[in-house]
Amino acid sequence: MSGSVIIVGLGPGALELVTPRVSTAIANATDLVGYETYLKRLPTLNANQTIHASANGVELDRARHALEMACKEGRKVVIVSGGDPGVFAMAAAVFEAIEHGPRGWRHLDVRVEPGITAMLAAAAQLGAPLGGDFCAISLSDNLKSWHTIERRLEAAAQADFTIALYNPASKARPNQIKKAFDLLSRHKSHDTVVALVRAAGTNQSKALITTLGSVDFTQIDMRTLVLIGASTTRLIDRDGKDPWVYTPRSQRGFE
Ligand code: SAH
């Protein structure tokens, strides 16, 4: 009896954005492991499936628990993440646990099933803001120093990437987003297009289009994806509707 660990991404929220491969993995699991908020999004499970909910911030413990159940008890474990499991989420925690764990874990059947990450769901809602080069930065300093975050923001601004900011604010970190914008403003024009997309890819979604110089920080919380345009990111006005946001693929302008 050999177990498995599949790390799946549930996408940004809507059921239709969960891939069929993720749904199959969930249906075939004996055990489902994850942060309680994501486990609540699962479809109805059958009576033989066990749920192991844990709090946020205990990713490595959760990964070790899943690996142990698969290795010692032959369970078919699915670990759930929001969005994509490889983007600021559980997949890296599982591989970190394997690298530093017992040798036997390397022989387990471990797989990652992708999901639609917040940045892509938000971009699709706005138009095509990621049409040029872009990068993603998590503003959370739980796992890296604030100094590192500042250096990366600065480099991204200097390189003129479109920047997707994950984890922009939380109750414990309400002010870092303002610090990040102050820093970006030193390198980018105040007119730079900024979009705040809350609950992207769900039917409660809300997109606010603004500029680097006039962001209302009270509109940003832990369910918000912040997109900061490149210098070429632009708007297409539509009477009575939100403009489309896009970044042309060519730097040469319209030909
Ligand atoms: N693995 C996830 C990201 C986890 S980090 C993914 O691939 O999407 C958590 C951060 O992701 C949140 O603070 C928020 O910035 C962003 N996020 C997750 N789901 C979101 C959604 N539906 N809409 C907007 N942002 C979202």
Side-chain angles (χ1 to χ4, degrees):
M1 182 177 61
S2 72
S4 57
V5 174
I6 309 178
I7 311 113
V8 307
L10 295 178
L15 209 57
E16 302 94 307
L17 296 180
V18 179
T19 71
R21 267 158 74 159
V22 166
S23 300
T24 303
I26 292 169
N28 294 334
T30 59
D31 296 80
L32 292 122
V33 174
Y35 174 35
E36 51 221 345
T37 308
Y38 298 135
L39 288 169
K40 278 193 204 129
R41 280 174 38 192
L42 290 178
T44 317
L45 301 174
N46 66 50
N48 310 324
Q49 295 181 297
T50 310
I51 295 223
H52 307 265
S54 41
N56 203 3
V58 294
E59 284 77 11
L60 266 178
D61 290 343
R62 188 187 296 146
R64 287 192 202 103
H65 180 214
L67 289 158
E68 245 158 40
M69 283 194 288
C71 196
K72 290 197 181 139
E73 301 163 40
R75 317 286 297 174
K76 294 195 181 313
V77 184
V78 162
I79 304 180
V80 297
S81 276
D84 181 89
V87 178
F88 309 126
M90 279 305 294
V94 171
F95 290 110
E96 195 176 334
I98 292 174
E99 184 183 3
H100 301 286
R103 207 73 203 165
W105 285 357
R106 297 181 185 215
H107 302 290
L108 270 173
D109 176 11
V110 174
R111 258 187 301 139
V112 181
E113 288 294 356
I116 296 175
T117 188
M119 168 178 79
L120 300 186
Q125 232 167 283
L126 296 164
L130 305 180
D133 293 335
F134 60 87
C135 68
I137 300 176
S138 166
L139 269 206
S140 168
D141 60 353
N142 289 341
L143 302 168
K144 62 188 170 193
S145 70
W146 180 250
H147 176 67
T148 298
I149 297 169
E150 285 187 329
R151 265 198 313 122
R152 290 182 183 165
L153 286 170
E154 204 148 35
Q158 277 164 354
D160 200 20
F161 285 124
T162 295
I163 306 169
L165 290 182
Y166 284 75
N167 295 307
S170 70
K171 288 201 184 92
R173 298 182 295 103
N175 301 321
Q176 287 171 344
I177 184 69
K178 174 149 192 333
K179 281 208 240 167
F181 269 70
D182 286 347
L183 191 150
L184 292 171
S185 300
R186 281 186 238 139
H187 302 277
K188 293 173 79 72
S189 154
H190 285 214
D191 301 335
T192 305
V193 176
V194 166
L196 314 177
V197 187
R198 190 163 192 284
T202 74
N203 50 18
Q204 303 112 46
S205 180
K206 199 172 111 189
L208 265 173
I209 297 161
T210 174
T211 62
L212 194 64
S214 51
V215 171
D216 174 0
F217 296 105
T218 64
Q219 298 299 314
I220 302 176
D221 66 6
M222 61 189 291
R223 288 207 72 196
T224 311
L225 194 284
V226 178
L227 266 178
I228 297 145
S231 60
T232 49
T233 303
R234 47 209 295 114
L235 303 181
I236 303 177
D237 294 330
R238 296 191 296 164
D239 294 329
K241 288 185 177 170
D242 275 351
W244 282 310
V245 182
Y246 87 107
T247 309
R249 296 197 57 199
S250 164
Q251 282 196 314
R252 292 190 300 264
F254 187 68
E255 291 170 342

